[in-house]
Amino acid sequence: MVTALWLTACLGPGRTLMEVPVSMVSAGEASWTLDDGATIVLDEAAVSFHDLRLSAPPETLAWQWSLIPTAYAHPGHDPAGLTEGELLGTFEVDLLAGVTELGMAQVYDGVYATGRLDLGPGVVSFGGTYTPAGGAARAFRFEELVDRSVTQIPFEHTLEVGVAGTVWVSVDPASVLGAIDWRTPAAGPVLQVSDGLIVNTFPFGVASTRSWSLRWTEP
Amino acid sequence: MLFWLAVAVASEPADEVVEVKDVGTPASAGEVRVEGDAIDTQPARSADDLMRALPGLQASAHGGRGKAYQYLYRGFDAVHGSDIAVNLDGVPLNEPGNVHGHGYLDLHFLPLRAVGGVVLTPGPGRADVGDHGVAATADFHLGVPDVGGYVGLGGGTDRSGAFSLAWRPEGGDQLVAAEVSGGLGAGEQRGFRLARAAVGGSWSRGVVSWRGWLVAYDGAFQSPGVLRADDVDAEGFYGSYGLPGGGRSSRALVAQRVTVGGTKAQVSVLVWGGLRQLRLDQNFTGWWRDEVGGDATRQTEQRAQGGLRVSGQGVVSTGLLHARLRAGVDLRGDVLTQQQRALSVDGVEGAVSIDADQRYTTAAAWTDAELSFGRWVVVTPGLRAESLQLGLRRRIDDDGAGVAAPTWARSSAPVALPKVGVVVRPHEGVEVVLGYGRGYRSPEARGIEDGQRAPVSLADAVEGGVRVAAGPVSVRTAGFFTAVDNELVFDHLAARFLASGATRRVGVEAGMAVAVHPAVRLEAAVTWADGRYVASRAPVPFAPRWTGQAGVRVDGAEIGPVTLSGGLSARWLGPRPLPQGFVSRHAVAGALTATLSWRSWCFDLMLDNAFFNRWRDGEYVYPSRFDLSRPRSELPVHHLSAGDPTALRLMVGWRW
């Protein structure tokens, strides 16, 4: 009887901590054409960030934590966040170098909704040429220490035990530079963040959730 | 009441004082009584441990030998007592609004040798029980089971020593009991020292009797806290991170009861009061929130409380109907002041996060009856009407800034708690017990708004069961269903209540006892309880779904010149649902106790963790950081509080 109870008592397997590879790649090409016919060609695209974290749907966890009766400074009775997957470390990635393997993340099996990462501590730098339709090419180089978090990156996927795959982190250069006002006059031969309004838009483009994406692929 | 008083004064004196405590018919099919010498058959170091005699109840000790246990029962996570009402001879022991947990229930103050018995009743089926009587009720009775004196001295392999004395005169229920114990404990950071004493007196003349008692306690204790599961190899299963943990607890309770009456009717007046002081230090996350000062907190509380119960009971017999009627009025008031501060690793107090005064007042009128229709049917209707008054005076606001002129916020709520039970005895030794009861859990005063109706949680419970006693075999089984209208939790970060929805608990339990010898009994019980939120179907975290108990009890076996009482107990906890879909492991725990009496000598032997296994008393999942050389991770990880280490303790006593 004890054995039967033992077997039937199972609530399910619980959660399994797994390791999954995380790689990074640019979400776009090194050159693209804007709506007005201008073209941008990158010869430099590097980002620095640290600590990628993957989270379960917040409404699910908020609900689950609310089930717990009140106690203070009590083990396990203190809501402690949404993170269920994590790749800790600092990463400096050359987006033009193709695929960069970031390492192995620790993740629990289960439903995920979003991811987040912290930019820095290094700089983000994008450089290349901007060529307006029918005009002359202008060189640009944006380099900035962006001390911001990129949050709520969609990652709607269920990670299952025994299913191999890779978490891909991507940055879309067109989105990073999407808010730049290319008509800004430059003080020198190369357009830089110090040249005007673009100093405001470049960090926002880098830290914009829309510039980043997370996806899961299986071999 | 006045009628009963008149009848009581005119009635014949009783042969013995009849306690106006219970109506003699089980309020639940799962009711358990541990009384007299049977206490020796329970592996108990303090009164808290006797709660484990209730099948299905998990009492988790994650805070050292001095902090209230965490109670899990029938799908409830009662935390430190929010859903289990405990009384000592009619005096409520729960501490509503306690700085560490609502309804805090610390029974370490009660000398084990002053416990004459305990009645453990599942469900909210009692009219004389109010707040916190949701999942179960426990009634402790103060008394020294054995006549005469006792003095004992002992020690154990857990590096502990103890001195104990007890006395009760022949033919009286006066008592003196005292215990002093202390030690380093088995494992790290498990030291403790405590002194607790109880004295009681009684007097009787004609139809008037008086009983009074005083219980006093002071204890200091360390707590090993928790270990990350991935640190067990490095720190040792009974290891500790050496962070602040433990505290100091003091309590004094005094009660006086005057009873007028005899066998036909009684009126009694119980007046009680108490003082309480508590300090708890803890750090269950290391340096996760504050990598400089650490995450430790110090909670302190001082409380004064008092109450009055005026009750009466009378017996009426008319032909087939035998009625025993009770009614009473209860008043209770608590005033307390509490603080919570950050605490550095060096023990320096820091920022204050809680600083408040509270008032908690209840006024209740209740009545119940035991209506016996012949030998076969007993109906036990009851009703309790209670008014709850809460007061809160905060000295800091939500941002931690001081409030220039603190004012009292007041909130109140009325509750009506109907009960009814039916016991059918279709055959000798067979009882069918059916019951319905409504209980309630008050909200914490810390979350009230001035003028707001206090949001109480109501629990409606039905239970049906059968108790069969046939010769040496007794069997009992019960099914139960409890619906809580709205689980209210207090978000201490936002300082407001969260209504997290309705819950329901459903389950069955079965138990069996076989007397293989007049003094030897085999027992086994198993409970299945499923607690879930109605809307989401999510399980109530921490409450075990399956529990099992088995044991051998020896009660007064004569072996030549030696008398033996004791027991071997085994408890099994099935996997417990944890937050975020995690699940704990199974746990099996055993304990052995034996009391050998030879002439005037008495040898009490207790073996904690009789199975020599490393069982996890508590399991929790959350992120922590106990190693500053490692990066701060937000991943939830398993933590555990270790079950009792194996330790053998012996006390040698002498009776006179």
Side-chain angles (χ1 to χ4, degrees), chain A residues 13-104:
Chain A
R15 306 288 295 276
T16 302
L17 187 61
M18 309 179 294
E19 288 201 332
V20 298
V22 180
S23 294
M24 187 163 185
V25 69
S26 173
E29 300 296 325
S31 62
W32 65 95
T33 303
L34 302 178
D35 291 343
D36 61 2
T39 57
I40 293 175
V41 179
L42 295 177
D43 56 29
E44 179 185 6
V47 294
S48 171
F49 67 94
H50 62 102
D51 298 350
L52 170 69
R53 291 187 165 95
L54 306 174
S55 302
E59 67 277 14
T60 303
L61 281 187
W63 176 259
Q64 288 175 343
W65 279 114
S66 76
L67 312 187
I68 301 169
T70 306
Y72 303 95
H74 188 283
H77 282 65
D78 214 354
L82 305 169
T83 303
E84 298 195 342
E86 198 172 64
L87 176 66
L88 299 181
T90 298
F91 310 99
E92 294 185 354
V93 179
D94 180 356
L95 294 173
L96 302 183
V99 173
T100 302
E101 294 179 356
L102 301 181
M104 301 295 285

Side-chain angles (χ1 to χ4, degrees), chain B residues 577-653:
Chain B
L578 302 175
Q580 296 179 229
F582 291 90
V583 177
S584 79
R585 292 185 181 181
H586 294 263
V588 178
L592 174 71
T593 182
T595 298
L596 291 161
S597 299
W598 176 67
R599 295 182 177 170
S600 293
W601 292 96
C602 182
F603 303 89
D604 291 307
L605 193 70
M606 184 174 287
L607 179 63
D608 296 333
N609 191 3
F611 297 153
F612 301 88
N613 62 331
R614 293 181 168 185
W615 64 281
R616 299 179 174 195
D617 184 37
E619 279 199 57
Y620 319 93
V621 174
Y622 55 87
S624 64
R625 189 185 190 192
F626 290 99
D627 182 353
L628 279 170
S629 69
R630 294 161 69 175
R632 179 182 183 277
S633 169
E634 293 184 12
L635 272 189
V637 295
H638 277 264
H639 296 71
L640 61 96
S641 56
D644 282 335
T646 297
L648 181 67
R649 283 174 285 122
L650 173 66
M651 176 169 279
V652 179

Side-chain angles (χ1 to χ4, degrees), chain B residues 151-164:
Chain B
V151 60
L153 189 64
T157 61
D158 58 352
R159 304 177 290 178
S160 71
F163 169 78
S164 178

Side-chain angles (χ1 to χ4, degrees), chain B residues 281-321:
Chain B
D281 298 342
Q282 56 252 312
N283 184 348
F284 296 113
T285 50
W287 284 267
W288 192 73
R289 290 187 174 79
D290 183 346
E291 68 176 3
V292 178
D295 300 344
T297 58
R298 166 165 291 173
Q299 299 169 323
T300 56
E301 179 168 302
Q302 298 82 40
R303 176 186 299 254
Q305 56 183 171
L308 170 74
R309 165 170 286 186
V310 181
S311 60
Q313 72 171 22
V315 177
V316 178
S317 291
T318 56
L320 193 66
L321 173 65

Side-chain angles (χ1 to χ4, degrees), chain B residues 285-630:
Chain B
T285 50
W287 284 267
W288 192 73
R289 290 187 174 79
D290 183 346
E291 68 176 3
V292 178
D295 300 344
T297 58
R298 166 165 291 173
Q299 299 169 323
T300 56
E301 179 168 302
Q302 298 82 40
R303 176 186 299 254
Q305 56 183 171
L308 170 74
R309 165 170 286 186
V310 181
S311 60
Q313 72 171 22
V315 177
V316 178
S317 291
T318 56
L320 193 66
L321 173 65
H322 178 80
R324 193 173 184 186
L325 309 171
R326 298 194 310 164
V329 173
D330 296 342
L331 300 173
R332 175 183 179 171
D334 291 46
V335 292
L336 56 131
T337 182
Q338 57 189 205
Q339 291 82 33
Q340 178 171 284
R341 298 177 173 87
L343 189 66
S344 76
V345 176
D346 302 326
V348 178
E349 293 181 358
V352 179
S353 52
I354 295 174
D355 189 0
D357 300 322
Q358 288 187 28
R359 290 177 185 155
Y360 171 90
T361 310
T362 57
W366 55 271
T367 183
D368 63 11
E370 182 182 289
L371 309 173
S372 303
F373 300 92
R375 294 170 46 205
W376 304 282
V377 178
V378 181
V379 181
T380 55
L383 177 67
R384 182 181 185 90
E386 185 155 318
S387 172
L388 171 72
Q389 311 280 331
L390 301 174
L392 172 70
R393 183 167 63 185
R394 300 171 67 188
R395 285 188 289 272
I396 60 171
D397 61 20
D398 292 346
D399 300 323
V403 175
T407 56
W408 283 96
R410 294 176 177 83
S411 181
S412 63
V415 288
L417 310 172
K419 332 268 179 178
V420 64
V422 178
V423 178
V424 180
R425 299 187 174 105
H427 189 273
E428 182 71 26
V430 178
E431 283 186 328
V432 179
V433 183
L434 306 170
Y436 158 79
R438 168 175 285 185
Y440 91 99
R441 180 200 310 136
S442 62
E444 286 195 74
R446 224 180 301 173
I448 63 169
E449 299 288 339
D450 193 32
Q452 177 195 55
R453 182 188 172 99
V456 301
S457 294
L458 296 174
D460 289 286
V462 292
E463 186 194 80
V466 180
R467 298 157 68 106
V468 178
V473 179
S474 61
V475 177
R476 59 184 176 78
T477 181
F480 55 86
F481 177 86
T482 304
V484 178
D485 66 336
N486 199 358
E487 297 283 355
L488 293 165
V489 292
F490 178 59
D491 181 347
H492 58 286
L493 297 177
R496 62 181 172 224
F497 290 115
L498 301 174
S500 55
T503 56
R504 62 105 181 107
R505 279 88 176 166
V506 61
V508 292
E509 65 180 38
M512 186 175 186
V514 181
V516 296
H517 179 274
V520 181
R521 203 169 69 254
L522 307 179
E523 296 176 349
V526 62
T527 302
W528 174 80
D530 184 57
R532 288 184 185 276
Y533 273 70
V534 173
S536 68
R537 304 275 304 154
V540 174
F542 299 114
R545 186 171 290 180
W546 284 94
T547 57
Q549 288 167 287
V552 182
R553 311 268 176 234
V554 179
D555 190 358
E558 304 283 350
I559 307 170
V562 174
T563 304
L564 170 66
S565 291
L568 173 64
S569 298
R571 292 185 290 123
W572 164 64
L573 286 173
R576 288 151 278 175
L578 302 175
Q580 296 179 229
F582 291 90
V583 177
S584 79
R585 292 185 181 181
H586 294 263
V588 178
L592 174 71
T593 182
T595 298
L596 291 161
S597 299
W598 176 67
R599 295 182 177 170
S600 293
W601 292 96
C602 182
F603 303 89
D604 291 307
L605 193 70
M606 184 174 287
L607 179 63
D608 296 333
N609 191 3
F611 297 153
F612 301 88
N613 62 331
R614 293 181 168 185
W615 64 281
R616 299 179 174 195
D617 184 37
E619 279 199 57
Y620 319 93
V621 174
Y622 55 87
S624 64
R625 189 185 190 192
F626 290 99
D627 182 353
L628 279 170
S629 69
R630 294 161 69 175

